[in-house]
Amino acid sequence: MDLVIARPEGLYCPPGDFYIDPWRPVERSVITHAHGDHARTGNQHYLAAAAGAGILRARLGQDIDLQTLAYGEPLLHHGVKLSFHPAGHVLGSAQVRMEYGGEVWVASGDYKIEPDGTCAPFEPVRCDTFITESTFGLPIYRWQPQAQVFAEINQWWRANAAADKTSVLFCYSFGKAQRILHGIDASLGPILVHGAVEPLNRVYRESGIYLPPTIYAGEVKKSDPMMRKALVIAPPSAGGSTWMRRFGDYSDGFASGWMRLRGTRRRRGVDRGFVLSDHADWPGLLWAIEQTGAERVMVTHGSVGVLVRHLREQGLDAQSFSTEYGDDEEENAAVEPERAEVLP
Ligand SMILES: [Zn+2]
Ligand SMILES: [Zn+2]
């Protein structure tokens, strides 16, 4: 029996009568993580990993009807044994394990293999059927170790500061921003953040994740000499906006897995592209799929066709699942609401 099927509202578990990351409002939702395309408003009931509660409430409202489980803690619902397991994607991100009638299914949500210190590392879960994302499901996507990317960012920041130029780094404000803050060398200069980033920093800090001290960029005057030595973390939506006028001479960069593609940096019109993704690369996806031991793999958002074909060639029963999940590396970031000027 299929423990998860695709319905117009989202991925649905028939025996459990709940949806996983539904894109239309439903009664019972199980949420893998708080990125906007996976966690939407309007559901009557939310179930999520406890580590993600702060972010979910910050983004969907303090008053949502939210029930949480610690990673690994089982919940029996209509005979379906459900539990969350770390996905290593962003704070609180989880894979959903479902067991019913001797069958085990795991829905991955979004995941990343390399541990980054800002969330619980990805944990492979054995199952019969694995539902995997495929955002970067093409053989060209192979990430460098993140330490190397952080070294590049540090080097760029150091060179800019020596030339009295502000360094403005664009990235998605939830997850990527905190990962960068956690990974860079904070001794190089002051770190300023956009108003969309700071409330999320606060939730990470409250969860015990170390982030270096940050200053709300809106409070710093253009004439302040510290601006020249600063690194500024801002969402892509701030690029080209009036918000940028506070910086005199600056160099800008963009951190995203898409920077792997020639042309993306140019299209974005930024000086530097840093290839840093919160998703598994091609070898990572294949490794994760193999670790589950699953014979059946359902592929969601990304390069679905290519990954399905590759898995079939490996002898697996692979199929595509059409979903309405977006791309949290760039596209969603670009339309992220501008909460620019004031902190809530
Ligand atoms: Zn995501
Ligand atoms: Zn996603």
Side-chain angles (χ1 to χ4, degrees):
M1 141 174 239
D2 284 352
L3 294 196
V4 179
I5 60 171
R7 275 201 177 175
E9 295 87 350
L11 300 178
Y12 178 68
C13 175
D17 190 25
F18 58 78
Y19 287 85
I20 299 168
D21 295 349
W23 43 84
R24 292 193 198 151
V26 300
E27 203 181 312
R28 294 191 165 275
S29 67
V30 175
I31 304 296
T32 63
H33 67 291
H35 273 145
D37 53 327
H38 290 260
R40 297 179 193 243
T41 52
N43 299 315
Q44 282 179 43
H45 184 80
Y46 292 84
L47 179 69
I55 296 278
L56 272 178
R57 289 197 188 278
R59 307 203 102 195
L60 301 182
Q62 295 299 324
D63 56 346
I64 56 167
D65 179 9
L66 172 65
Q67 183 185 350
T68 62
L69 298 173
Y71 287 127
E73 180 188 350
L75 175 80
L76 202 60
H77 179 74
H78 293 179
V80 178
K81 191 173 150 195
L82 182 152
S83 53
F84 293 109
H85 303 269
H89 175 58
V90 291
L91 181 63
S93 66
Q95 308 174 73
V96 183
R97 181 187 186 276
M98 290 150 282
E99 186 176 345
Y100 182 80
E103 278 272 309
V104 177
W105 285 49
V106 170
S108 72
D110 293 340
Y111 62 96
K112 171 171 101 287
I113 307 304
E114 190 178 22
D116 67 20
T118 65
C119 60
F122 177 84
E123 215 171 79
V125 182
R126 304 287 295 181
C127 57
D128 302 298
T129 303
F130 184 52
I131 304 173
T132 182
E133 60 134 323
S134 62
T135 305
F136 292 101
L138 288 176
I140 55 160
Y141 294 112
R142 287 160 202 273
W143 310 143
Q144 303 295 323
Q146 62 196 341
Q148 200 170 314
V149 182
F150 290 131
E152 285 172 22
I153 295 173
N154 290 336
Q155 203 174 38
W156 169 70
W157 179 13
R158 200 181 291 117
N160 290 334
D164 277 334
K165 268 188 193 181
T166 312
S167 304
V168 182
L169 185 54
F170 297 114
C171 61
Y172 193 51
S173 58
F174 167 36
K176 186 71 61 65
Q178 291 73 31
R179 184 177 171 200
I180 289 171
L181 288 168
H182 184 86
I184 44 142
D185 180 359
S187 73
L188 294 178
I191 302 170
L192 312 186
V193 293
H194 185 272
V197 176
E198 192 54 24
L200 293 155
N201 289 351
R202 197 179 303 147
V203 180
Y204 270 70
R205 288 185 180 117
E206 281 166 4
S207 302
I209 308 296
Y210 173 76
L211 301 180
T214 48
I215 304 160
Y216 173 44
E219 282 167 359
V220 182
K221 294 243 167 354
K222 192 174 171 177
S223 55
D224 192 326
M226 71 108 105
M227 198 73 115
R228 312 264 70 82
K229 309 291 179 194
L231 172 70
V232 183
I233 305 286
S237 57
S241 74
T242 55
W243 190 81
M244 294 297 294
R245 282 191 203 144
R246 70 196 67 219
F247 311 113
D249 198 10
Y250 67 85
S251 173
D252 55 6
F254 199 109
S256 161
W258 299 117
M259 288 297 150
R260 173 69 182 78
L261 291 181
R262 216 177 291 265
T264 309
R265 186 191 61 77
R266 215 179 329 113
R267 242 187 346 269
R268 275 275 161 192
V270 291
D271 301 322
R272 284 293 300 269
F274 298 101
V275 186
L276 187 70
S277 175
D278 295 336
H279 294 263
D281 60 1
W282 175 257
L285 288 167
L286 299 183
W287 178 84
I289 291 164
E290 200 205 318
Q291 290 293 303
T292 65
E295 281 171 12
R296 199 165 167 216
V297 181
M298 318 293 255
V299 182
T300 67
H301 60 316
S303 305
V304 176
V306 175
L307 186 56
V308 165
R309 209 172 315 126
H310 180 85
L311 295 173
R312 283 184 182 162
E313 282 164 16
Q314 309 296 306
L316 293 176
D317 174 9
Q319 296 169 37
S320 67
F321 247 168
S322 85
T323 65
E324 293 182 19
Y325 303 133
D327 166 13
D328 51 50
E329 288 284 322
E330 187 165 20
E331 300 308 325
N332 292 338
V335 295
E336 202 171 22
E338 180 77 11
R339 286 185 290 165
E341 298 306 328
V342 272
L343 279 171

